[in-house]
Amino acid sequence: GSTQVRVDFMRGGRRRVRAVDTESDQHVGELIGVNSTTVCYRQGSRVIAADPRTGQSLWIRFQVPTETEGFMDADHVVLLDNIAQEATILRAIDGELVAKTKLPEPHAWLACRGTRLLILARDDASPALRELDLLTGAARWEQPLLPN
């Protein structure tokens, strides 16, 4: 069969681009990220890391929930589980678990870059932008948003 590119909307309005088999309407893959030593992608409920020069698998994680969003930087693969509201951080080179961190509601997630997640925090009366360090779960910085 043939494949097509489809945009899916996640909880909170974020988008992800997936390859879809046109005959079965099944997702066949999703790129998570690439660095100099690893290309990481998702197929079904598996996250697979491969050597970008040879294509050989370096490691595979099984039973990754379908509502998980993936990101990657030079050192880590970050899996954000929309349902469990949890971040799983793996070493990109070997897939070893580095950290697991509880997250706020997915509607608060604005952007992820490496092991940093920007959120819209509504802990008190005034909202604020807050950057979370997903390795520790701690806030790196916070900027209150002023009313108009």
Side-chain angles (χ1 to χ4, degrees):
S2 62
T3 56
Q4 73 180 84
V5 175
R6 182 179 297 162
V7 177
D8 287 340
F9 291 91
M10 304 294 293
R11 289 176 62 188
R14 288 173 311 286
R15 297 178 301 187
R16 67 177 168 189
V17 178
R18 294 178 155 182
V20 178
D21 180 83
T22 54
E23 291 177 19
S24 67
D25 200 38
Q26 296 293 313
H27 293 121
V28 294
E30 174 185 350
L31 180 67
I32 291 175
V34 179
N35 65 29
S36 62
T37 61
T38 310
V39 59
C40 190
Y41 60 98
R42 180 186 186 124
Q43 264 186 335
S45 63
R46 299 178 302 161
V47 170
I48 303 161
D51 183 317
R53 293 173 297 278
T54 66
Q56 291 204 349
S57 294
L58 300 171
W59 54 265
I60 300 174
R61 282 279 173 151
F62 296 93
Q63 298 179 338
V64 175
T66 57
E67 291 297 317
T68 299
E69 298 178 53
F71 303 92
M72 185 175 174
D73 65 13
D75 301 312
H76 301 99
V77 173
V78 177
L79 303 174
L80 303 180
D81 186 332
N82 285 305
I83 305 301
Q85 293 177 229
E86 183 175 69
T88 301
I89 297 92
L90 310 171
R91 273 197 313 248
I93 195 68
D94 60 10
E96 288 297 314
L97 179 66
V98 175
K100 278 193 177 257
T101 304
K102 289 304 282 177
L103 297 172
E105 281 284 329
H107 291 70
W109 307 351
L110 299 176
C112 186
R113 185 169 197 141
T115 58
R116 296 174 294 169
L117 179 66
L118 182 64
I119 66 166
L120 178 60
R122 297 178 183 267
D123 298 338
D124 52 26
S126 62
L129 290 177
R130 181 181 301 150
E131 184 181 86
L132 299 178
D133 180 338
L134 297 176
L135 293 171
T136 65
R140 292 174 49 101
W141 58 263
E142 183 169 317
Q143 177 64 48
L145 298 176
L146 302 174
N148 290 341

